[in-house]
Amino acid sequence: MTDFMSRKDLTLFLGFSGVVLLLPILATPFGAAYPDLLQRFMIFGIFAIGFNILFGLTGYLSFGHAAFFGVGSYAAMWSFKLLSLNAVPALLFALVVSGVFALAIGYVSLRRSGIYFSILTLAFAQMCYNLAYSVLTPITNGETGLRMALNDPRVLDRLFSDAPAGMPVPSLFGMSLSGWNGFYFSAFFLLATFLLAMRITNSPFGLMLKGIKSNQNRMNYTGFNTRPYTLSAFVISGMLAGLAGALLVVTDPLAGAERMRWTASGEVVLMTILGGVGTLVGPVLGAWIIKYFENIFSSFNANVLNSFYSFLPDGVREVAVTVSSKFVGEGWHLSLGLVFVLIVVFLPGGIMEGARRISAWLRRPRNGAKANRQLSAQGAE
């Protein structure tokens, strides 16, 4: 269509944009149409897309991306405390700090590949977590975490206006980013991240990354220096993780060390594998499914289950509630684990592989009928 974007890519981007912007309506039947949850859908979608740029394109599996997520959160919080409640400086500051951080860690970690690279990133992430939790408490406030306060300096805000009367809330040039404003603000960055990932995937740079994933040794033997490409992918991925962490501070004005734990790094790996490694839409779908399980399934208690099974006889209802309670509420991880096992066993390519199979199955009868008509026509001739 144009040099910037093909017709296929434009259709994909417009379709994805439509789903994202209409999500408050589309999520209503699933009980997820409230701004805080949908904002988390956007944020962790960005986190998963950024991770997929590294893992999906280059094949480097990082177990330490939560470090950049946490660094972005702390950087944004300090921007809100020292500079301004405006989210733009906070996001820019988080991008710069997480980018520098990713450059330093990537420069060391990318000297190894395979499992050794994964262990190095995990080690760096755990060091960052322990530093934030216990050593750098003057900066991170330890296990309590950082919050905004009325007496924070906020020098840029105080130059142009009076201090806020109530609890400080992140804003965009005076417009509060709570509620639906925050959702559409985060949705804008998800769409921008998706467009960036699409452009990278289809660019010569993306082709180089795919070549590295396919056979890095062969590329090195030909005299091609792959290190700048892998380091660039690592930095871009880390910056997007930092952006997601900064946006989470806009949603939940707290920056804590728990966002840097190894479980957070494992979660983004699950999101990417669940949706489909190396695909554009898959990691976002994986992030949405996991966050849906975490926030909706975990809220089901015995009262909700009793109400749901109210049409059953008393004895049968008690059995159904007892069995179901193992998979919801505090046991929602069991449901998620079963879904993940089924996906890995039957759809190694994730949800997107399932979508491709369904699409191929739906097209098969039409193509078969067309072939039969062609054979009939040839026989008539």
Side-chain angles (χ1 to χ4, degrees):
M1 184 174 178
T2 63
D3 292 337
F4 179 75
M5 186 180 296
S6 66
R7 185 182 297 275
K8 180 181 178 182
D9 289 341
L10 180 61
T11 302
L12 175 61
F13 180 71
L14 291 178
F16 181 77
S17 301
V19 170
V20 168
L21 297 177
L22 294 175
L23 205 55
I25 299 173
L26 299 176
T28 300
F30 303 97
Y34 53 96
D36 181 70
L37 176 57
L38 293 184
Q39 199 165 349
R40 290 176 183 272
F41 279 11
M42 304 298 104
I43 292 167
F44 284 92
I46 294 172
F47 192 14
I49 289 175
F51 178 79
N52 189 58
I53 289 176
L54 177 67
F55 180 41
L57 293 183
T58 68
Y60 277 80
L61 176 58
S62 168
F63 284 137
H65 257 53
F68 312 123
F69 189 79
V71 166
S73 293
Y74 282 120
M77 180 58 72
W78 276 111
S79 176
F80 286 135
K81 291 172 74 67
L82 299 178
L83 300 178
S84 170
L85 287 175
N86 194 325
V88 174
L91 297 182
L92 292 175
F93 187 49
L95 282 171
V96 171
V97 173
S98 58
V100 172
F101 203 69
L103 180 63
I105 291 181
Y107 183 80
V108 176
S109 300
L110 288 168
R111 293 178 178 276
R112 295 292 180 266
S113 60
I115 189 62
Y116 303 105
F117 167 82
S118 301
I119 295 300
L120 277 173
T121 55
L122 176 61
F124 276 118
Q126 284 301 100
M127 285 191 291
C128 293
Y129 167 73
N130 284 283
L131 287 172
Y133 191 81
S134 58
V135 179
L136 300 177
T137 51
I139 299 175
T140 63
N141 204 26
E143 61 179 334
T144 306
L146 282 177
R147 288 187 179 273
M148 288 179 279
L150 286 172
N151 58 351
D152 288 333
R154 280 189 284 276
V155 292
L156 294 181
D157 285 351
R158 296 181 190 276
L159 286 176
F160 302 103
S161 62
D162 296 330
M167 191 65 187
V169 178
S171 63
L172 180 65
F173 301 107
M175 180 183 70
S176 173
L177 289 178
S178 59
W180 291 113
N181 291 338
F183 163 72
Y184 285 108
F185 181 73
S186 300
F188 168 79
F189 284 99
L190 174 62
L191 295 179
T193 303
F194 185 82
L195 181 60
L196 174 65
M198 181 182 292
R199 294 296 298 156
I200 289 176
T201 301
N202 299 324
S203 67
F205 173 69
L207 293 177
M208 292 295 182
L209 297 182
K210 293 176 184 178
I212 292 171
K213 180 180 180 180
S214 177
N215 197 322
Q216 185 174 2
N217 288 332
R218 183 175 296 174
M219 295 186 71
N220 287 327
Y221 289 153
T222 61
F224 187 84
N225 186 8
T226 61
R227 186 169 173 79
Y229 290 89
T230 54
L231 184 58
S232 298
F234 192 94
V235 171
I236 293 171
S237 182
M239 291 176 71
L240 292 177
L243 173 63
L247 287 171
L248 189 58
V249 170
V250 175
T251 303
D252 180 15
L254 169 68
E258 73 280 353
R259 294 179 182 175
M260 307 175 78
R261 296 184 66 180
W262 67 270
T263 52
S265 296
E267 189 176 64
V268 73
V269 176
L270 293 181
M271 291 173 182
T272 307
I273 295 175
L274 183 63
V277 178
T279 64
L280 289 168
V281 180
V284 180
L285 292 178
W288 291 0
I289 289 172
I290 288 181
K291 287 301 158 184
Y292 180 82
F293 271 78
E294 180 181 331
N295 290 272
I296 302 299
F297 271 46
S298 63
S299 65
F300 290 174
N301 52 32
N303 293 330
V304 175
L305 293 175
N306 273 302
S307 177
F308 181 78
Y309 293 116
S310 59
F311 63 94
L312 296 174
D314 291 344
V316 179
R317 185 176 68 248
E318 291 177 2
V319 174
V321 170
T322 301
V323 174
S324 300
S325 63
K326 307 301 181 183
F327 296 88
V328 297
E330 295 181 356
W332 71 272
H333 286 96
L334 181 57
S335 296
L336 180 61
L338 289 175
V339 170
F340 187 75
V341 169
L342 291 174
I343 290 291
V344 170
V345 172
F346 296 104
L347 296 173
I351 294 172
M352 295 308 297
E353 180 182 341
R356 287 192 294 270
R357 289 185 183 182
I358 293 173
S359 177
W361 179 77
L362 291 175
R363 288 197 303 265
R364 189 180 305 163
R366 188 191 314 168
N367 294 336
K370 183 178 179 181
N372 290 333
R373 287 196 299 268
Q374 291 175 349
L375 290 174
S376 300
Q378 291 174 0
E381 292 175 357

